[in-house]
Amino acid sequence: MQIIDTLVTLVSEALDSAQTSGSLPTAGDVEIKIERPKLAEHGDFSTSLPLALARSTRMAPLQIAEAIANAVPEHFMVGNVAHAAPGFVNFTLSTSWLQSQVNVVRNAGDEFGSVETGKGQSVQVEFVSVNPTGPLHVGHARGAVIGSSLANVLDAAGYDVQREYYVNDAGNQMRVFYDTVYSRYMQAAGHDEPLPDPAYPGEYLQELASDLLNDLGDSSVSKEKSEAIAVLAPESLKRTLKDIRNVLSSLGVEYDQWFHESELLSSGRFDEVLNFLEDSDLVVERDGAKWFAATKLGLEEDIVVIRSGEGGPTYFGTDIAYHHEKFMERKFDRVINVWGADHHGHVARMHALLQAFGLDPDRLTIILNQIVNFSNEGESLKFSKRNNVMVTVEELIEEVGSDACRFTFLSRSPESHMEFDLSLAKTQSSENPVYYVQYGHARLASILRTAAERKIDFDTADLSLLTHARELELIRKIIELPAVIERAAERLEPHHLPHYAMDLARSLQRFYEDCRVVSLEEGELEISRARLQLVEAAKYALHRTLNLMGMTSPERM
RNA sequence: GCCCCCGUAGCUCAGUUGGAUAGAGCACCGGCCUCCGAAGCCGGGAGCGUGAGUUCGAGUCUCGCCGGGGGCGCCA
């Protein structure tokens, strides 16, 4: 962030000159950290460097603070530098600089908030990636929301981002799925075909099968089972994926690519990568199966990659090829996988795998989001169709709406074991933080509409008129956005967005309360213009934030 | 048995990689609409599971204990 970088430079210069002038003894290299004080009277930024230097310089921290504060060079961004006990140097931004930021924001427009920390780096975010065997379960919504917003944030931080859904269209689960579709298809056509064992339960497959019968006709009924499946399977997959895509889309989730597991097998990549591992002496045969020799890389157990018996690859087996493809073929600098916490046992294996490829394991980050407990009126919900409780993401969106849903999931960090209270998320809708934030946006829009109706032109304005505490508070909050985005991207924590959104909304509501924007009073046209520019800047910041969260920015509510 | 995550206000959650007097929403109580939206604003109470340790300084780091969730498949 630019402000902090500037302050680091100023402190560094102050340190040098204090040491040169002899007011401070020289000390070894220290890292200058700039923080944000919690209390307003401590300024906008501070550093506790004096406390860190106390030991090596054998001086009282407060004295060091004073020496540094006195040596900080003048800078137009900084209005005041102070030292404070027990050993802080506090910086307050200058009013004139804050005022000037209104136009910086307005000029950036919809792009305001973007940073370049990820410039030149490609990153893939893979999320949801649920087996295409039916509708998305509510348990998958959290990962979808986190993954999509994280991708948005990384994009805003300058990364070249690819959003990907990994379609597990090979393997055991799908065979069971197709076998069940076949049985349901035959049953729909009036034949007494038993369900396979195991089979996929649920009405979804019955509906799917009867749709297939209607749309494709009964020509597959008389075929051999394998031939019938050859016809039904691709169509079942296509339709199920389409349902998944539509539901995700209604949740504000879009992908750049849907990558099919089956491609890894048909392209020969799987065999190729397996050969590579064999050549690296990392594959062993045992009990009729092939294993990835993870124990040679420090893990506790080897992992099966090719089953005994019919010899198909395991999920982990194709994942080897998949990640090889991500790094070696598509050459992503970083890959982020968003998984449910129940996959945590898989994490160490993936990192071992990168090691086997000779790659830095840090290039792969796996975000595990903990399970969500849904409740209603304080009562925990057990999902089952028999209880007639909501089970799919589609139903969840119908119940609480996409915006409220996203905001709720986003405001918790992924590792928290969150509770999602449906009654809270929907019935108290007017008191919901979701609507508080959106109301702020609608209100800003409303002010601008009023200004337009009254034909107030505010292309130019005297921003030095913005001196009210609420005006400056709002400007300070607006210009935090780049730092929020930078932090969220760096730490892969999209949950900072909703909290920032709340803060920003509060600042603008307080501003609105105390500062009349569009005034009819004589002689207040100039201040109206300046405030309208501020309103416009606030609207850009709030809209950007809502946008990154995948939420709508209503002009009216 | 081993591994991962969590424990902060009555409830749901933040807490800027160890900094100053720990925050927000909901719920509760009391105020505020004569021109831009009261889905709002202002004021009010209460909290870091527990015991040690590291440090100038711990909600944050280390270890133990208590409590909750998840994982240890030739499933994905």
Side-chain angles (χ1 to χ4, degrees), chain A residues 445-456 516 518 532:
Chain A
S446 170
I447 296 170
L448 293 175
R449 275 196 302 273
T450 305
E453 280 164 17
R454 298 188 188 176
K455 307 220 184 315
I456 299 174
R516 178 79 207 179
V518 183
L532 280 165

Side-chain angles (χ1 to χ4, degrees), chain A residues 19-291:
Chain A
Q19 286 168 345
T20 315
S21 72
S23 55
L24 270 186
T26 48
D29 277 354
V30 282
E31 189 198 357
I32 298 171
K33 287 197 300 188
I34 302 292
E35 294 138 11
R36 257 173 201 288
K38 286 174 204 145
L39 270 65
E41 58 240 55
H42 293 146
D44 293 304
F45 295 92
S46 69
T47 180
S48 58
L49 183 67
L51 290 168
L53 287 176
R55 183 181 291 261
S56 60
T57 57
R58 305 180 60 84
M59 266 177 79
L62 193 58
Q63 247 183 301
I64 304 172
E66 187 174 3
I68 293 176
N70 288 337
V72 171
E74 294 272 325
H75 192 278
F76 66 95
M77 186 187 277
V78 179
N80 187 45
V81 183
H83 61 100
F88 290 92
V89 179
N90 297 332
F91 300 86
T92 304
L93 297 170
S94 78
T95 302
S96 58
W97 184 79
L98 286 170
Q99 290 160 343
S100 72
Q101 294 308 294
V102 172
N103 262 325
V104 172
V105 174
R106 291 175 66 235
N107 289 336
D110 288 334
E111 294 299 310
F112 171 66
S114 295
V115 293
E116 297 194 331
T117 48
K119 201 172 179 188
Q121 285 194 72
S122 62
V123 57
Q124 183 201 53
V125 184
E126 184 219 314
F127 56 108
V128 185
S129 300
V130 175
N131 277 0
T133 55
L136 287 184
H137 184 275
V138 285
H140 300 122
R142 188 179 190 183
V145 170
I146 290 173
S148 57
S149 275
L150 181 58
N152 293 345
V153 164
L154 290 168
D155 190 40
Y159 287 91
D160 182 12
V161 180
Q162 193 191 41
R163 300 154 171 86
E164 181 151 308
Y165 190 116
Y166 180 48
V167 181
N168 291 109
D169 61 346
N172 266 345
Q173 303 281 335
M174 288 312 284
R175 205 175 48 216
V176 173
F177 173 71
Y178 294 143
D179 283 350
T180 311
V181 169
Y182 173 75
S183 293
R184 291 301 191 189
Y185 172 84
M186 295 301 281
Q187 288 169 3
H191 288 70
D192 187 21
E193 178 74 24
L195 283 175
D197 181 27
Y200 263 92
E203 281 168 28
Y204 176 78
L205 288 197
Q206 293 179 48
E207 285 167 22
L208 175 63
S210 99
D211 286 350
L212 289 175
L213 184 64
N214 282 336
D215 299 346
L216 303 181
D218 59 1
S219 60
S220 293
V221 171
S222 52
K223 290 178 185 160
E224 285 290 313
K225 181 176 176 182
S226 62
E227 283 176 38
I229 287 179
V231 174
L232 299 175
E235 193 60 27
S236 307
L237 177 63
K238 197 175 118 195
R239 291 178 182 217
T240 307
L241 278 177
K242 191 179 163 201
D243 287 348
I244 290 174
R245 191 188 330 240
N246 287 342
V247 170
L248 286 171
S249 180
S250 68
L251 189 59
V253 177
E254 304 289 344
Y255 287 93
D256 299 310
Q257 183 154 347
W258 296 67
F259 190 95
H260 289 248
E261 179 188 14
S262 55
E263 268 179 42
L264 295 166
L265 301 172
S266 61
S267 69
R269 177 165 292 272
F270 174 79
D271 294 327
E272 190 187 310
V273 177
L274 196 64
N275 286 338
F276 169 80
L277 290 179
E278 279 173 340
D279 291 345
S280 309
D281 215 16
L282 286 169
V283 176
V284 292
E285 291 195 43
R286 195 189 315 142
D287 304 331
K290 287 192 178 181
W291 305 66

Side-chain angles (χ1 to χ4, degrees), chain A residues 339-346 368-371:
Chain A
W339 289 347
D342 52 335
H343 287 65
H344 111 262
H346 204 57
L368 297 177
N369 62 273
Q370 295 294 328
I371 308 256

